[in-house]
Amino acid sequence: MRVQEGADELTKKALSEGIDPGRILNEGMVIGMERVGKKFSENKVFVPQMLMSAKAMSTAMQHIKPYFLSGSVKRKGTVIIGTVAGDLHDIGKNLVGMMIEGAGWELVDLGVDVNAEKFIAALKEKPGSAVGLSALLTTTMVNMERIVQEIRKVARDTKILIGGAPVSHEFCSKIGADFYSPDPQGAVEYLNKMVA
Ligand code: B1M
């Protein structure tokens, strides 16, 4: 930013001052995004401002990412992750991916707007992987359900975990996914339990 320090500069500064990366993430960035979402609901900010906020958060996340990555070479297994078809929100998915990778899993990130075919193709390349699905829109929850059904047809025993703001435990049971977590920590704990 030209006139004042932005998320990029502030994150670097906070890290250089020894502030815990977890605090920077949870007490700074995530709360900032929640505020933007609230303002969007109140028609006080619009899509361009949401985009700017997302860009700011993604840039700042690059600085804290190294702190969450473990040095262990041996991986616990593979997790294929993606935001479901029709949905372009990737900040939460990236955060979950970062934590999973940091916990010692190999991560295959398929990005956003991912359909069942792409998940299945990735599963064929890495059989036995767990799959993580993220959705932020109520309108794309139906695509999450479709993806779970299609994966079950070809790889019935695949462990499928889901998350994202509109998703719930009830929805998880309804669509036949294995696990719902409201946050990255829950997703990591579930995966780690699988190999414990
Ligand atoms: Co949009 N958007 N957006 N948006 N956006 C929301 C989601 C919304 C709630 C805003 C609002 O109305 N208050 C609303 C959805 C309403 C609904 O469906 N219920 C909304 C809307 C309506 C839209 C558009 C339709 C707007 C329009 O065009 N009119 C449009 C849709 C585009 C599309 O996807 N097809 C749209 C577009 C966008 C941008 C592109 C501008 C931008 C996204 C940029 C990007 O991601 N690269 C954007 C943003 C930034 C938001 C908000 C403000 C922030 C989302 C975010 O990044 N949060 C959001 C409002 C909000 O959430 N408060 C909003 C921070 C992130 C860390 O949290 O993603 O929830 P979250 O992830 C969490 C957990 O959910 C969980 O862990 C994460 C970390 O704690 N989690 C998982 C997520 N995935 C998981 C997977 C797991 C486990 C846990 O296991 C696999």
Side-chain angles (χ1 to χ4, degrees), residues 33 37 40-41 50 54 86 88-92 134 136-138 164-165 181-182:
M33 287 309 267
F40 182 75
S41 304
M50 284 210 289
L88 303 176
H89 296 86
D90 68 354
I91 295 175
S134 179
L136 262 286
L137 297 171
T138 43
S181 174

Side-chain angles (χ1 to χ4, degrees), residues 12-83:
K12 278 195 267 185
K13 198 167 166 185
L15 286 170
S16 71
E17 286 169 4
I19 298 178
D20 174 53
R23 279 191 64 203
I24 299 173
L25 179 67
N26 294 315
E27 295 174 29
M29 301 181 200
V30 170
I31 289 179
M33 287 309 267
E34 280 169 12
R35 284 194 192 149
V36 173
K38 190 165 177 289
K39 285 188 175 175
F40 182 75
S41 304
E42 297 165 350
N43 287 323
K44 288 183 180 158
V45 303
F46 303 94
V47 172
Q49 284 87 0
M50 284 210 289
L51 267 176
M52 285 196 294
S53 315
K55 176 81 182 132
M57 178 147 180
S58 302
T59 308
M61 263 162 65
Q62 292 309 313
H63 299 304
I64 60 164
K65 191 172 177 181
Y67 293 87
F68 290 95
L69 295 185
S70 88
S72 72
V73 177
K74 189 166 171 356
R75 296 279 154 181
K76 293 173 181 165
T78 303
V79 180
I80 298 165
I81 197 165
T83 302

Side-chain angles (χ1 to χ4, degrees), residues 65-125:
K65 191 172 177 181
Y67 293 87
F68 290 95
L69 295 185
S70 88
S72 72
V73 177
K74 189 166 171 356
R75 296 279 154 181
K76 293 173 181 165
T78 303
V79 180
I80 298 165
I81 197 165
T83 302
V84 301
D87 204 320
L88 303 176
H89 296 86
D90 68 354
I91 295 175
K93 182 265 299 167
N94 291 346
L95 212 47
V96 174
M98 191 171 96
M99 299 296 183
I100 289 174
E101 216 177 355
W105 292 78
E106 183 190 356
L107 188 77
V108 177
D109 187 345
L110 300 180
V112 296
D113 192 17
V114 187
N115 59 23
E117 289 69 32
K118 284 190 197 153
F119 279 107
I120 289 166
L123 264 171
K124 282 188 180 148
E125 270 186 35

